[in-house]
Amino acid sequence: TREEMIMNDQTPLFLPTDRNVAVPRIRRPDMGQSVLEQDAVRVTFGEADLKLALSNPVEIAVMPAEVMLNDAVTPWYGLGQGGLSGAPLPARGGFVEVRNVGTNRQIMGEPLLQAKPPAGKPWRPMEFLAAVDAAGLVAPLVISERSDVEEVESYFQTFLTKTFRIGERLPPGFYRVIVGP
């Protein structure tokens, strides 16, 4: 009956029970002490052992012009500004990534520098399905994930087929072609 009682116990598991929490027994106070004196402050460092090396505080200027005229070193000058290269990224019309449908292994990933999608509306990454045989694409690319802009979808559908010639670049198989901005 004890095992049946344990299996049918309706007590929520997040509440402490005798099976999931071990509560330490409270020690009786010594003679002349109260219960509150048991939790007296216990100092772990001696007064001579603990030494903190704190830097002097930085003085804050009253007027903003004083900051520029003062020769004091700003403590956080250049934080997050090191190691940046000034070379701009090359302009691209998108980025194509091709993955095998069966294994999800990436076959190709490169920027589309020649692509010029219609501008105006922002578009999300889209996904096409491609079937390739030894002669190239078996059928036109099929849209499986939309970008919310039909002009961009139709542009990349023709661009990948005719200009980029994706069917000639891939070995026979089934592929997911993901195009992003």
Side-chain angles (χ1 to χ4, degrees):
T1 59
R2 178 167 165 69
E3 291 174 355
E4 288 179 22
M5 184 185 72
I6 290 172
M7 292 300 288
N8 295 324
D9 188 10
Q10 297 294 316
T11 306
L13 294 176
F14 60 86
L15 294 177
T17 64
D18 59 341
R19 291 182 298 277
N20 65 0
V21 174
V23 180
R25 294 200 176 259
I26 298 175
R27 189 173 55 93
R28 291 186 135 194
D30 295 332
M31 284 294 266
Q33 286 186 339
S34 69
V35 176
L36 297 177
E37 290 176 359
Q38 291 180 357
D39 295 330
V41 176
R42 295 183 183 104
V43 180
T44 57
F45 293 104
E47 291 181 12
D49 296 342
L50 181 65
K51 293 180 181 166
L52 299 175
L54 299 175
S55 62
N56 294 333
V58 177
E59 292 184 23
I60 299 174
V62 178
M63 298 295 292
E66 292 178 18
V67 175
M68 299 304 287
L69 298 175
N70 194 357
D71 290 336
V73 177
T74 308
W76 297 288
Y77 179 74
L79 182 67
Q81 297 177 1
L84 297 177
S85 65
L89 295 173
R92 68 178 193 198
F95 189 86
V96 65
E97 181 178 301
V98 180
R99 292 187 172 270
N100 188 315
V101 171
T103 62
N104 201 29
R105 189 173 59 94
Q106 183 175 347
I107 306 297
M108 176 192 315
E110 61 183 73
L112 299 172
L113 301 175
Q114 302 154 351
K116 306 249 186 281
K121 296 181 183 176
W123 51 281
R124 295 184 312 145
M126 65 195 90
E127 185 175 317
F128 299 99
L129 291 176
V132 179
D133 65 1
L137 280 175
V138 174
L141 297 173
V142 178
I143 297 175
S144 61
E145 186 79 28
R146 298 208 170 265
S147 70
D148 296 337
V149 181
E150 289 184 34
E151 297 87 20
V152 174
E153 292 169 3
S154 62
Y155 172 79
F156 277 111
Q157 196 169 17
T158 56
F159 175 80
L160 291 171
T161 305
K162 295 181 179 175
T163 308
F164 192 69
R165 298 183 184 262
I166 198 160
E168 297 174 10
R169 296 176 182 229
L170 298 173
F174 295 97
Y175 300 99
R176 289 175 39 223
V177 180
I178 303 156
V179 180

